[in-house]
Amino acid sequence: MTFTGIGLVTLPNPELQNTEGLNVSVNSRQAMDSTRYTTVKSNPDRNFSYNLRIDVQKLFQLQQFVRDNAGRRFNLTDHNDVTREVYFDAIPITFTDDSFASVGSGSRNEFGEVTIQVTGA
Amino acid sequence: MARTLGAAAGEVGTALGTEPIFIVEVTWGLSGPMETYADKDFDGLPGKILTLAGLDTVQKVNARGSTGSLSMTLDDTDGSIKNILNAQDVHKGAVSVYQTYQALTASDKFLLFSGEISTPIEWSEGQREIKFDVVVKIEDREVGFSPEQGEFDFISEDAVGKAWPLCFGSVVRVPAVKITDAVRGKSLTRYSVLTVSELDQLCDLAAVVSDAENDKNIGDTQLNPITSDENYAILIEALTSSTISLNLFKENLIFANPVQETNLDDFIQVCKDIQTNTRNLLLFAAQAVAAQNIIVNLELTILNLQIQIGLEQAKNPQDIPLISSLQATLAQANSDLTDAENDKNDAELQVLSASAAIAILNTSKSALTLLLTQIDLATIIIDDGDKFPQGTPLTIVINSLKFVGTFAGNTFTITESNVPFYTNVELAIRENDNANEFWIDDVSLILKNQYCWFSTGAGNKLVLVDNQEGARCFFSPLLYKRTGVIEFGFEDRDIYDPILLSPSIGVITETGVVLRNWADVLDAQAAVPDLFNPTYASGRSNIQDNDYTIEIGDDVFLDGDYQDTYIANLIPSTEVKEVMAFRTINGVRELLPIPSRYYDVDLAESIAGQTSTTLRFRRPLSGYDGEEWEEDVFVTLVSSEGPNTADIISYLLTTYSDLSIDAASFASVAAAIDKFPSHFAILDRPDALDVVEDIAWQARCAVFTKQTTAFIKYLAAEETEVLTLTEADVENDTFILTMTETEDLVTKFVAEWTDDYSKELPNKVVLRNNIPKYGKIERTFDFFIYNIEELVIKSSTFWMIRYSNTWKIIKFNSFLTTLELEVFDTVLLSFGNDLIATSDVKGSILDSTYDSVSNQVDYRIFTSVRSGEMDTYPLTWPATAAIDVEYPTENDPFAGGASG
């Protein structure tokens, strides 16, 4: 995945739990006399959520990119090579850094997990 | 008031496939920028609306207007709102929520809700969003006016923060607010001016003592007392009792005027001396008369003896013994005559001496009388005297008497007493020929109880004004002048006619409540009282002086700082009908009219930035000696605003809120309730919206707002329905039939009202209904807008019918097709299967809640059908009920009727 805005950061492909929101939802209800009523909710923007496993070096790059692009739209080219104009939903992004702690016989794990939520079309 | 859908009506009425879009206009703060957002990028508007939750509008408790709220979340990923927060206080900013449709444009939007930003207001750094609540405008400015501390110099400290009465219609005895307070203190000195009549009594007592002392002295000095022991005891008793009487009387005078003690003792001694000399004069005059009688007899005897001796010497010259005897008798008579003449001369000398002494003593007595009857007060101790200007000459007024002097702390040192209260008072043209009346030019002058001294014209004239009615003064004694001569027996007698005081007589030179040293000069034509002439004449000697007293606690005022100002109505009035205050007469406290000459009315005076109805009193009410007025003033007036209740509400909203008025609804309701006028005064400073809702409720109306416009609805009248609701408008499985809440029932309705603001307790109207069904559930309501009992009963009966019955209420979810409906709107409920009633019935929207996620609207609707019945109750809307329907109906078996 590549984030291109103020600066550029290339990240590994997301884990399997990534989600992509839908553009349109339909609400349908029925009256006492069986009359049906429907309304539509559409939005060109969709919500995207990616779980990434990155090393410390990428983490620092990502942090810098988030700081530089907070409140801005930037281009995201995903693992399917689709480029979207998006913005960060939640800032700062929470990094789960437990996995950076030393494990086993004291060796240090240089990887961690981060969830990135963006909205865009 | 049905929602206006405009170009969106077609979309709203479409059942399938519509896509509603929310648009919000947010004015960030009272003076901040107005931004428009949508729930997605739409027609050039940024899609920043994340959520709109709980968009509900409900009737307030007891149908007192409507209220509503929602919770809104806006996206702030771009930080634009945070930048606004950095520069603006967004609290209370205006928010309007609109709806349009994807198939339309932003300009086709229609209003769903409007309100103000309210807490909690939370901007989340992590989520980059802002959340806040929006509520319908819930408070506004205070109604009325009250001066603030230090805002106006002329307003007394007691008046700071006190609301000025705000009157509508014709109000009765509204308590006026006194806004000024003259500098005043309380006398700590007791003093009384001695009067001539008091001195006359004292002198009479001194004379009695003098006589008793003389009688006792005679008893003491008799060598052979002619008096018995019993008679002597009587002399002692007479002396003792007369001395006690004298001393008691003197002590009372000294208590009232201690500085005159020495002069009083001198005066008593003079009176005693006059009595002694008078007694001597009478005694020696009697002796002179007796000696004269002896002389006359002796002279006659001597003459007879001389004749007899001459006859005997001619007839019997040889009868020497007889002649010698006669000559000896003659010599004795001459000797006795000489003694008698000496006695007479001595007595006459004593008479002359006594007369001279009495003349001298009377001169002394007159001098002492003048001294004793003058005001000789040197200082007065005055509580709060330090509030008066210090060290500079000024004039104070105590019990209508003026003193000139200077203050040093609480001590007022007098340099001049009994300064004329008025000078050069112009007389006005007479309106009748009553001799005891005159008219003055300046009606503001208070001459009652004042002596009026005319030193102009022919001779001096002095009268006492006994009473006054405006310019008309009643006085005594009558004044006479000689107008001719009439033959009376063998004498000519003068003819006297009353003097009619008029401008031709001249001005009243001076006035005062205590006689001044006015010269006792009589008109050459004036009547001198004697046996035949009238007892009245012009001149001081013919008038009695008043008793002037300063008691401890008497008010002390600065001369010229005498006027009290009262606010009767914050706004202009068209008429002040009556001004009253409590007054105590013979121990009975009564509310009585204040004479109009005591005050001036200004129906529209510019004061303290207001245009108000004011009363300016020419002197404090407590300053009218002997009249026992209290200073709380009650005014009956006709205000320039009202009495139409809708007009009053319109005035309050336009004056004390930022809201504008929906002219159509106000005009319609004003016409409907014109025959139920409101006459009331607001005596405090409630919130404008609160008091407006309260007033509307009492008038069976409801006021509600949309954006910045206020609407009014007459609840007692049945209206044409905005929509007809059927099964097609109700979502399946959501219809609920419920009832009036048990805790909302009122079976004993007590309405308090007043027709007179001087009363301490309100009047009451008590209405009862359905007590046998629901028990006694009592509530008291304040119907302060009406001062006519029939109107209180009418309005109370309407609400009592609403509150004392259990009504069917329906709840259901509906669709966007009913978005036209708003709270208080009338709907026709056309449901089959006897769901509500056996036929179509009308109802009124109690609540509506718009769920923006599911695009459904939840309603709660009041129906005109009571629990247990299947038809409309005929008096649900009494104003439009059939004319032959009377309350209670045959279906109101437990109506308790109304009582006053």
Side-chain angles (χ1 to χ4, degrees):
Chain A
M1 296 177 68
T2 303
F3 292 1
T4 307
I6 298 176
L8 181 146
V9 61
T10 302
L11 301 172
N13 288 338
E15 307 263 306
L16 291 176
Q17 298 93 329
N18 70 300
T19 60
E20 297 183 2
L22 298 174
N23 285 96
V24 177
S25 63
V26 176
N27 181 282
S28 176
R29 291 180 298 135
Q30 188 172 343
M32 290 172 75
D33 65 349
S34 301
T35 304
R36 185 161 294 279
Y37 297 86
T38 60
T39 56
V40 175
K41 190 75 176 173
S42 68
N43 197 327
D45 281 347
R46 301 167 62 188
N47 299 323
F48 302 94
S49 177
Y50 304 104
N51 289 333
L52 302 176
R53 182 173 175 78
I54 56 178
D55 60 19
V56 174
Q57 187 64 31
K58 286 295 178 189
L59 171 65
F60 292 154
Q61 290 179 26
L62 179 60
Q63 284 178 330
Q64 184 61 47
F65 185 86
V66 169
R67 274 196 294 271
D68 291 344
N69 292 276
R72 295 172 175 276
R73 286 181 180 261
F74 56 91
N75 289 329
L76 183 154
T77 304
D78 66 9
H79 53 288
N80 295 320
D81 207 24
V82 177
T83 299
R84 310 176 192 279
E85 189 180 67
V86 299
Y87 58 88
F88 288 114
D89 279 352
I91 301 171
I93 294 170
T94 302
F95 295 90
T96 308
D97 58 357
D98 287 350
S99 54
F100 288 94
S102 63
V103 294
S105 59
S107 61
R108 184 177 178 192
N109 192 340
E110 292 292 332
F111 290 87
E113 288 185 357
V114 62
T115 301
I116 298 174
Q117 291 179 326
V118 296
T119 299
Chain B
M1 199 61 55
R3 187 172 279 131
T4 303
L5 302 177
E11 286 291 303
V12 170
T14 302
L16 299 174
T18 58
E19 182 178 355
I21 293 174
F22 289 101
I23 295 174
V24 295
E25 290 175 349
V26 183
T27 301
W28 294 106
L30 298 178
S31 58
M34 200 272 278
E35 302 287 349
T36 306
Y37 311 109
D39 53 359
K40 68 176 187 178
D41 290 348
F42 176 75
D43 204 9
L45 302 176
K48 277 181 168 288
I49 303 173
L50 297 178
T51 62
L52 278 175
L55 200 167
D56 60 350
T57 310
V58 299
Q59 281 190 17
K60 289 185 179 177
V61 174
N62 298 329
R64 294 180 188 236
S66 64
T67 186
S69 66
L70 63 86
S71 181
M72 183 181 294
T73 306
L74 298 178
D75 171 58
D76 191 33
T77 312
D78 61 1
S80 59
I81 297 176
K82 180 63 171 61
N83 288 335
I84 293 172
L85 295 181
N86 292 344
Q88 300 289 339
D89 175 12
V90 302
H91 203 181
K92 292 280 184 183
V95 176
S96 295
V97 179
Y98 299 90
Q99 185 165 297
T100 184
Y101 285 83
Q102 180 68 36
L104 305 174
T105 65
S107 61
D108 295 326
K109 66 185 185 296
F110 60 89
L111 182 71
L112 283 179
F113 180 87
S114 61
E116 298 173 337
I117 296 175
S118 182
T119 55
I121 304 169
E122 297 175 348
W123 182 86
S124 168
E125 190 267 346
Q127 300 300 314
R128 294 280 166 153
E129 62 189 28
I130 181 169
K131 290 181 183 176
F132 54 85
D133 283 355
V134 180
V135 296
V136 169
K137 195 176 181 78
I138 53 175
E139 71 264 340
D140 216 304
R141 300 200 299 271
E142 290 177 301
V143 163
F145 173 79
S146 55
E148 303 299 326
Q149 188 76 41
E151 194 175 9
F152 304 101
D153 290 341
F154 59 89
I155 288 177
S156 68
E157 286 192 9
D158 289 345
V160 169
K162 192 176 287 187
W164 294 8
L166 176 56
C167 305
F168 299 98
S170 300
V171 290
V172 179
R173 296 170 189 168
V174 172
V177 171
K178 185 179 167 190
I179 61 166
T180 56
D181 201 2
V183 178
R184 67 179 66 182
K186 299 280 186 188
S187 171
L188 298 177
T189 298
R190 189 176 190 278
Y191 177 77
S192 181
V193 179
L194 304 179
T195 64
V196 171
S197 62
E198 287 172 334
L199 295 178
D200 286 344
Q201 290 182 63
L202 186 70
C203 204
D204 290 344
L205 291 171
V208 172
V209 171
S210 174
D211 287 343
E213 287 174 344
N214 183 63
D215 291 344
K216 181 177 175 296
N217 287 338
I218 291 172
D220 288 342
T221 55
Q222 289 283 353
L223 291 176
N224 296 305
I226 59 171
T227 53
S228 65
D229 288 346
E230 284 184 4
N231 287 337
Y232 189 73
I234 290 172
L235 292 177
I236 297 295
E237 175 61 26
L239 177 59
T240 304
S241 62
S242 61
T243 303
I244 289 173
S245 297
L246 173 65
N247 287 341
L248 280 176
F249 196 81
K250 184 186 78 172
E251 290 303 321
N252 279 331
L253 297 183
I254 291 172
F255 180 70
N257 194 335
V259 295
Q260 293 283 20
E261 182 172 2
T262 305
N263 290 331
L264 279 171
D265 288 339
D266 292 345
F267 184 81
I268 290 169
Q269 191 56 51
V270 167
C271 288
K272 282 183 177 179
D273 291 346
I274 289 174
Q275 182 64 13
T276 300
N277 282 285
T278 302
R279 205 168 45 240
N280 288 342
L281 186 146
L282 294 173
L283 175 65
F284 291 118
Q287 287 179 359
V289 169
Q292 179 63 32
N293 289 337
I294 293 170
I295 288 169
V296 169
N297 287 334
L298 286 172
E299 285 176 343
L300 187 60
T301 301
I302 289 169
L303 182 61
N304 287 334
L305 285 170
Q306 286 173 337
I307 293 170
Q308 191 175 355
I309 290 170
L311 287 175
E312 291 297 334
Q313 283 177 336
K315 191 170 67 177
N316 297 310
Q318 69 278 20
D319 193 355
I320 299 301
L322 176 61
I323 291 171
S324 296
S325 174
L326 288 171
Q327 287 176 332
T329 303
L330 177 60
Q332 184 60 47
N334 279 323
S335 175
D336 291 345
L337 177 61
T338 301
D339 290 343
E341 286 175 341
N342 288 336
D343 289 344
K344 182 192 170 193
N345 289 336
D346 288 345
E348 285 177 343
L349 283 175
Q350 291 292 339
V351 167
L352 289 174
S353 172
S355 295
I358 289 171
I360 293 170
L361 289 167
N362 274 330
T363 303
S364 298
K365 183 186 173 188
S366 296
L368 282 169
T369 299
L370 193 60
L371 203 59
L372 286 164
T373 54
Q374 284 183 345
I375 298 173
D376 57 347
L377 201 54
T379 60
I380 307 174
I381 308 302
I382 295 168
D383 190 25
D384 285 336
D386 52 356
K387 292 182 179 175
F388 290 75
Q390 302 287 302
T392 56
L394 49 84
T395 303
I396 61 171
V397 181
I398 309 175
N399 296 340
S400 301
L401 195 68
K402 292 185 178 180
F403 299 87
V404 176
T406 54
F407 269 102
N410 284 349
T411 302
F412 182 75
T413 303
I414 299 170
T415 56
E416 185 181 357
S417 299
N418 196 12
V419 179
F421 203 89
Y422 300 121
T423 56
N424 299 323
V425 178
E426 301 271 357
L427 296 193
I429 302 297
R430 302 184 60 83
E431 296 180 11
N432 63 33
D433 287 334
N434 294 340
N436 68 325
E437 297 178 22
F438 65 80
W439 276 257
I440 55 176
D441 194 48
D442 184 354
V443 71
S444 70
L445 304 182
I446 310 295
L447 292 184
K448 184 181 178 182
N449 293 330
Q450 299 244 5
Y451 294 104
C452 295
W453 176 246
F454 299 77
S455 66
T456 56
N460 296 339
K461 300 172 184 62
L462 180 63
V463 296
L464 174 65
V465 176
D466 306 310
N467 205 355
Q468 182 178 359
E469 294 175 357
R472 186 182 186 185
C473 298
F474 303 86
F475 68 90
S476 64
L478 295 182
L479 302 174
Y480 286 85
K481 64 181 177 183
R482 187 166 52 205
T483 57
V485 176
I486 187 171
E487 191 175 306
F488 186 82
F490 298 104
E491 296 183 52
D492 287 341
R493 286 290 175 189
D494 296 329
I495 298 173
Y496 294 95
D497 285 319
I499 298 173
L500 300 181
L501 296 176
S502 66
S504 63
I505 295 290
V507 298
I508 301 172
T509 314
E510 293 179 353
T511 75
V513 293
V514 174
L515 290 167
R516 285 169 46 78
N517 292 326
W518 289 313
D520 191 8
V521 178
L522 297 180
D523 180 357
Q525 298 299 315
V528 179
D530 62 16
L531 188 61
F532 297 99
N533 290 338
T535 56
Y536 306 116
S538 54
R540 173 175 176 165
S541 57
N542 298 308
I543 203 162
Q544 288 289 322
D545 49 355
N546 280 338
D547 192 6
Y548 177 78
T549 300
I550 299 173
E551 296 290 350
I552 292 173
D554 282 349
D555 285 324
V556 180
F557 303 96
L558 263 181
D559 185 30
D561 188 16
Y562 228 41
Q563 288 197 329
D564 276 339
T565 303
Y566 289 79
I567 303 297
N569 188 2
L570 172 62
I571 56 179
S573 302
T574 57
E575 183 183 3
V576 169
K577 292 188 170 181
E578 190 176 47
V579 180
M580 306 183 86
F582 280 101
R583 183 180 174 188
T584 302
I585 301 176
N586 297 326
V588 179
R589 184 173 178 265
E590 292 180 278
L591 188 66
L592 294 172
I594 301 170
S596 59
R597 64 180 178 278
Y598 286 13
Y599 57 84
D600 293 313
V601 175
D602 193 332
L603 295 174
E605 180 181 349
S606 293
I607 183 168
Q610 311 295 316
T611 304
S612 304
T613 307
T614 62
L615 304 174
R616 288 185 187 277
F617 281 73
R618 293 169 191 144
R619 71 170 73 170
L621 279 174
S622 59
Y624 290 92
D625 304 329
E627 297 193 5
E628 303 296 329
W629 291 102
E630 297 177 17
E631 294 204 343
D632 292 335
V633 171
F634 300 88
V635 184
T636 300
L637 57 82
V638 181
S639 179
S640 58
E641 295 293 338
N644 187 294
T645 314
D647 293 342
I648 293 170
I649 291 172
S650 173
Y651 171 82
L652 289 170
L653 287 174
T654 52
T655 308
Y656 298 108
S657 82
D658 299 328
L659 299 171
S660 58
I661 299 300
D662 174 60
S665 66
F666 272 86
S668 168
V669 173
I673 63 174
D674 192 53
K675 54 195 171 193
F676 312 126
S678 299
H679 304 281
F680 64 100
I682 298 174
L683 303 178
D684 52 7
R685 300 200 62 192
D687 178 83
L689 294 183
D690 285 348
V691 77
V692 159
E693 287 176 354
D694 200 358
I695 292 168
W697 178 86
Q698 292 172 54
R700 298 177 287 166
C701 297
V703 172
F704 45 95
T705 60
K706 284 199 274 187
Q707 289 185 299
T708 58
T709 303
F711 296 79
I712 190 169
K713 177 171 180 172
Y714 185 36
L715 301 176
E718 181 178 352
E719 290 190 341
T720 305
E721 64 274 16
V722 174
L723 277 180
T724 298
L725 298 179
T726 67
E727 286 84 349
D729 299 303
V730 178
E731 184 178 0
N732 201 17
D733 200 22
T734 63
F735 185 94
I736 294 173
L737 178 65
T738 182
M739 310 292 167
T740 303
E741 300 284 342
T742 304
E743 58 265 30
D744 291 341
L745 286 169
V746 177
T747 55
K748 183 180 178 184
F749 190 105
V750 181
E752 292 185 344
W753 63 287
T754 186
D755 55 356
D756 179 349
Y757 287 93
S758 68
K759 292 180 181 174
E760 292 185 358
L761 296 176
N763 305 315
K764 287 186 178 181
V765 168
V766 180
L767 305 175
R768 296 177 176 84
N769 187 33
N770 282 339
I771 289 180
K773 283 172 70 177
Y774 306 131
K776 192 185 87 168
I777 308 169
E778 180 175 338
R779 279 191 64 186
T780 300
F781 299 87
D782 186 3
F783 279 78
F784 62 81
I785 68 168
Y786 293 127
N787 61 4
I788 301 169
E789 185 174 24
E790 288 72 21
L791 301 185
V792 178
I793 293 172
K794 180 176 282 290
S795 194
S796 299
T797 303
F798 170 80
W799 287 115
M800 189 269 298
I801 290 172
R802 287 289 177 100
Y803 295 167
S804 65
N805 287 299
T806 300
W807 300 88
K808 291 183 179 178
I809 293 171
I810 59 171
K811 301 193 295 184
F812 56 86
N813 298 348
S814 188
F815 312 102
L816 298 187
T817 50
T818 61
L819 264 182
E820 190 177 358
L821 294 176
E822 292 190 292
V823 168
F824 286 114
D825 280 349
T826 299
V827 291
L828 182 66
L829 303 170
S830 180
F831 291 88
N833 302 318
D834 295 343
L835 208 53
I836 303 169
T838 52
S839 59
D840 294 352
V841 295
K842 284 188 176 176
S844 174
I845 307 291
L846 294 173
D847 306 342
S848 74
T849 303
Y850 187 173
D851 184 340
S852 64
V853 175
S854 60
N855 286 321
Q856 70 180 35
V857 188
D858 303 340
Y859 290 109
R860 201 165 67 92
I861 299 176
F862 165 87
T863 75
S864 57
V865 184
R866 298 191 297 185
S867 174
E869 297 177 355
M870 292 301 286
D871 297 306
T872 289
Y873 178 68
L875 289 174
T876 308
W877 293 286
T880 46
I883 197 163
D884 57 344
V885 177
E886 289 186 3
Y887 181 80
T889 69
E890 60 183 7
N891 292 325
D892 293 307
F894 303 121
S899 61

